[in-house]
């Protein structure tokens, strides 16, 4: 499930591609004092992710942008929605916005037999742990995790994506349901690499690193209800690592599979 916020620029401003840390701060502020606040410093997937304010280009005062926040937890989304409604001023670094509206957005890859395309709306972070370097034939002069690049081939990328989604499945889905690695078949039918790129990322206050990311277009055909659940989990939590920094956010680009709840609103907390 998702929250969709319609934004309006409050001033002329250049688009800031390093928005991640500031936008994450607003979401954590919204979750302050809730049961989700306790996972802030825990080394595990947080259970939410978000898009960039899109389209990502420089703005004139009054220009419209859209922000999506996704999570398998409806209560978490309701809390974020309430915060955006109560405080309509949304400053993402040097990008000042007014929140015009907040609605619920239902996403589903479709019933078994349906096909579609999922595209990464933000860069995907995949790091290969050093204990798998020999397995993948990676020869480096360091013993830290290696950012995935095309030269490493698709095998480590697929394995790390599946392992990461397994962790999320174990955290956010019932124990009796099989995870992605426990069923036959790949998560996606095909993967088209759009680009790889690097950006500076503020990991924590005062700590800035350069990360290598990738953007993708994935084709899928829903095999059964388990596969459907795994794909929808990827929509709700993102793929790859550090989703709570906004990385790995994905969209269904086949609009026929996506529906906006007409008149549906995320319940606001009092």
């Amino acid at each position: 499930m998702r929250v969709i916020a319609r934004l309006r620029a409050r001033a002329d401003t250049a688009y800031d591609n390093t928005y991640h840390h500031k936008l994450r701060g607003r979401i954590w502020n919204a979750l302050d004092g809730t049961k989700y606040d306790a996972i802030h410093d825990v080394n595990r997937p947080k259970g939410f992710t978000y898009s960039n304010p899109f389209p990502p280009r420089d703005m004139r005062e009054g220009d419209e942008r859209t922000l999506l926040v996704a999570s398998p937890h409806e209560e978490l989304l309701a809390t974020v929605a309430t915060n955006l409604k109560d405080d309509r001023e949304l400053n993402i670094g040097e990008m000042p916005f007014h929140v015009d509206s907040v609605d619920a957005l239902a996403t589903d890859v479709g019933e078994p037999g349906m096909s579609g395309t999922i595209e990464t709306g933000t860069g995907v972070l995949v790091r290969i742990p050093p204990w798998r370097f020999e397995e993948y034939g990676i020869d480096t002069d360091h013993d830290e995790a290696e950012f995935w690049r095309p030269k490493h081939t698709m095998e480590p990328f697929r394995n790390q994506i599946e392992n990461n989604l397994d962790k999320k499945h174990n955290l956010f889905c019932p124990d009796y349901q099989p995870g992605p690695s426990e069923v036959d078949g790949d998560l996606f039918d095909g993967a088209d690499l759009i680009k790889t790129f690097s950006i500076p990322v503020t990991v924590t206050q005062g700590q800035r690193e350069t990360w290598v990311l990738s953007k993708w277009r994935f084709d899928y055909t829903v095999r059964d209800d388990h596969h459907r659940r795994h794909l929808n989990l990827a929509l709700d939590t993102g793929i790859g690592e550090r989703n709570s920094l906004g990385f790995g956010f994905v969209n269904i680009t086949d609009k026929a599979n996506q529906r906006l709840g007409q008149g549906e609103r995320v319940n606001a907390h009092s």
Side-chain angles (χ1 to χ4, degrees):
M1 191 173 181
R2 300 180 171 195
V3 162
I4 180 169
R6 304 294 185 184
L7 313 177
R8 190 174 300 275
R10 301 195 339 264
D12 297 356
T13 184
Y15 194 88
D16 183 4
N17 288 305
T18 61
Y19 64 88
H20 306 85
H21 180 64
K22 297 293 185 181
L23 184 49
R24 175 181 63 174
R26 175 61 184 266
I27 294 175
W28 280 118
N29 286 341
L31 300 175
D32 186 35
T34 71
K35 65 182 181 181
Y36 302 104
D37 190 29
I39 65 174
H40 182 280
D41 297 320
V42 179
N43 185 23
R44 45 157 277 195
K46 312 302 184 187
F48 70 86
T49 189
Y50 46 86
S51 71
N52 54 349
F54 63 89
R57 56 175 179 260
D58 295 349
M59 289 163 280
R60 302 296 297 270
E61 182 178 356
D63 283 355
E64 297 178 353
R65 293 293 183 268
T66 302
L67 173 67
L68 295 167
V69 183
S71 175
H73 304 300
E74 186 173 351
E75 184 180 354
L76 183 151
L77 291 175
T79 301
V80 172
T82 299
N83 179 271
L84 293 173
K85 292 176 182 178
D86 290 346
D87 182 1
R88 300 276 178 160
E89 185 175 308
L90 176 60
N91 298 316
I92 307 174
E94 299 300 317
M95 298 187 292
F97 295 105
H98 178 268
V99 180
D100 284 347
S101 66
V102 182
D103 290 279
L105 181 67
T107 54
D108 191 330
V109 294
E111 298 178 356
M114 294 189 68
S115 298
T117 302
I118 288 176
E119 190 167 324
T120 57
T122 59
V124 177
L125 174 65
V126 168
R127 290 177 292 192
I128 305 168
W131 57 87
R132 304 200 74 169
F133 286 175
E134 184 177 355
E135 175 185 352
Y136 297 134
I138 297 174
D139 184 16
T140 69
D141 57 0
H142 63 80
D143 57 2
E144 299 174 346
E146 174 85 354
F147 291 104
W148 182 87
R149 295 173 174 85
K151 66 180 182 180
H152 297 133
T153 76
M154 282 301 297
E155 182 184 4
F157 182 88
R158 282 195 300 264
N159 288 344
Q160 293 304 124
I161 290 293
E162 183 179 85
N163 292 344
N164 179 270
L165 197 60
D166 263 336
K167 292 179 183 178
K168 294 164 183 170
H169 189 276
N170 292 337
L171 287 167
F172 310 128
C173 297
D175 292 340
Y176 62 85
Q177 295 175 340
S181 65
E182 299 175 288
V183 298
D184 294 331
D186 294 328
L187 188 65
F188 302 112
D189 297 337
D192 294 323
L193 176 62
I194 299 172
K195 66 176 181 178
T196 56
F197 59 102
S198 60
I199 61 170
V201 178
T202 301
V203 182
T204 59
Q205 193 65 38
Q207 182 184 354
R208 201 169 175 87
E209 301 175 357
T210 299
W211 288 359
V212 179
L213 309 169
S214 54
K215 283 194 172 185
W216 296 83
R217 189 176 294 111
F218 300 109
D219 297 322
Y220 69 86
T221 300
V222 183
R223 294 189 300 273
D224 51 33
D225 288 336
H226 293 313
H227 188 215
R228 179 183 188 179
R229 186 177 64 256
H230 300 155
L231 289 169
N232 283 333
L233 180 64
L235 290 175
D236 287 344
T237 62
I239 64 172
E241 304 174 55
R242 304 306 290 264
N243 309 121
S244 63
L245 259 173
F247 296 109
F249 184 87
V250 292
N251 282 312
I252 302 172
T253 54
D254 176 1
K255 297 299 182 182
N257 284 346
Q258 188 168 323
R259 63 188 189 278
L260 175 62
Q262 299 298 317
E264 184 181 6
R265 298 275 178 166
V266 174
N267 293 328
H269 294 306
S270 57

